[in-house]
Amino acid sequence: MSRKLYALGLCGSARCGKDSFYFIAKKYLSNLGYHPYRVSFADVLKQDVNEFLLEKTGINAFTEDAEEKELIRDFLVAYGTKLMRRIDENYWISKVEEAIHFPSRLNTLPTSIPIFTDVRYLNELKWIRETLSGTIIHITRAGTLPANTEERKNDPILHLHSDLHLEWKDFKNKKVGGDDRRAVEQVIQKCLRAPSARRQHAKTIAYNRKI
C-alpha cells in the first residue's frame, strides 16, 4: 500500500544529476496525481543578493552565462556560507519558508510535493525530514567530484543521513534515456512504499547506465 509523499530532498555533489532526477520525478509524480514543484536554497540566496549584484556589477545573480557565473561564484559562496550561515545556520531555511509560503501551500493543496534540488547541509536535511516529513535521496554519478571544500566536507555526512541512494554512471554527452527514467521511478516507488519518511535507510540502489 502506498503512503502519502510529503516532500523530497535531493543531495549529492555538483553535476551529479539532481536536476535530471527532478525533471523525471516531476513527470512521474504528476502522472500519479501529485503536484510536485522545485524548491532551491540557491535560488533564495540569489534573490537575496540580486539587487546588489545588478547595481555593483551589472550581473544578474540568476545568469546562465558561464563567464558571469564564474565571476560571482565566490561571492555567492562567501555570502551564503561564510557570512549568513555563521550568523544563523537556519537563515536560508527561513528564507525558503517565506518564499514558498509554508505551510499554507501544503494545506491548500495537500498533493503538493516540494522537491528540494540542492540540499547541502545537515540542518537542511533534518528540517526537510523532521518538519516536512520528507524523504532524503542522495545521488552520485561516476566521474563527478566535490566542487569545493564545503562539498568535500558535507557530502559524506549527507550520504550517511540520507534515506535512499541512487548511483549512476556518467551521462557524458548523452541525453537522459529510458533506463535513467526507470531508475528514478524505482526510487520514487520506494518512497511511496516506505512506512515512514523518518530515517528509513533503504538498501542502496546501484544503477549502471548502459552506454
Side-chain angles (χ1 to χ4, degrees):
M1 181 180 295
S2 64
R3 68 174 181 87
K4 177 172 172 52
L5 190 59
Y6 295 97
L8 293 176
L10 308 181
C11 52
S13 297
R15 301 176 302 281
C16 70
K18 296 187 291 293
D19 284 334
S20 295
F21 184 102
Y22 165 72
F23 287 115
I24 297 170
K26 179 182 179 182
K27 183 175 181 180
Y28 182 67
L29 287 166
S30 296
N31 289 337
L32 295 178
Y34 290 97
H35 295 82
Y37 60 98
R38 178 179 176 275
V39 183
S40 168
F41 290 101
D43 283 353
V44 293
L45 186 160
K46 291 174 183 177
Q47 189 60 51
D48 225 34
V49 300
N50 194 41
E51 187 175 334
F52 172 83
L53 280 173
L54 285 171
E55 180 184 343
K56 299 298 183 181
T57 70
I59 298 175
N60 191 308
F62 295 90
T63 180
E64 290 299 324
D65 181 85
E67 221 173 283
E68 291 182 340
K69 287 172 78 170
E70 187 60 34
L71 278 173
I72 65 174
R73 187 187 311 279
D74 288 345
F75 169 77
L76 293 176
V77 171
Y79 178 74
T81 302
K82 305 298 183 184
L83 179 60
M84 299 313 299
R85 276 186 59 86
R86 285 187 180 179
I87 294 172
D88 177 6
E89 72 166 12
N90 294 316
Y91 178 79
W92 298 115
I93 291 174
S94 300
K95 297 296 284 188
V96 161
E97 286 182 305
E98 292 172 14
I100 54 180
H101 308 295
F102 281 129
S104 61
R105 180 166 184 169
L106 298 181
N107 292 333
T108 303
L109 188 59
T111 53
S112 288
I113 301 176
I115 302 180
F116 297 81
T117 57
D118 58 352
V119 181
R120 292 191 174 94
Y121 295 96
L122 186 58
N123 68 311
E124 296 170 352
L125 181 154
K126 288 182 176 179
W127 174 72
I128 293 168
R129 175 184 287 139
E130 295 168 8
T131 303
L132 304 179
S133 294
T135 300
I136 309 300
I137 301 165
H138 187 277
I139 302 170
T140 55
R141 176 164 69 94
T144 60
L145 296 171
N148 51 48
T149 55
E150 284 291 313
E151 279 196 358
R152 279 192 291 276
K153 173 185 173 183
N154 289 294
D155 192 57
I157 298 171
L158 296 174
H159 183 276
L160 179 65
H161 287 85
S162 293
D163 303 303
L164 294 165
H165 304 87
L166 173 64
E167 301 174 1
W168 44 24
K169 284 188 177 179
D170 196 353
F171 297 154
K172 294 187 177 177
N173 295 321
K174 299 192 177 224
K175 292 182 179 179
V176 172
D179 289 334
D180 305 302
R181 286 191 290 272
R182 282 188 288 275
V184 173
E185 289 168 6
Q186 287 173 14
V187 174
I188 298 300
Q189 288 163 12
K190 282 182 176 286
C191 294
L192 292 170
R193 287 199 301 267
S196 170
R198 301 176 188 277
R199 287 301 296 273
Q200 295 298 317
H201 288 282
K203 183 185 294 185
T204 296
I205 299 171
Y207 169 61
N208 294 324
R209 177 184 171 89
K210 296 177 182 177
I211 299 177

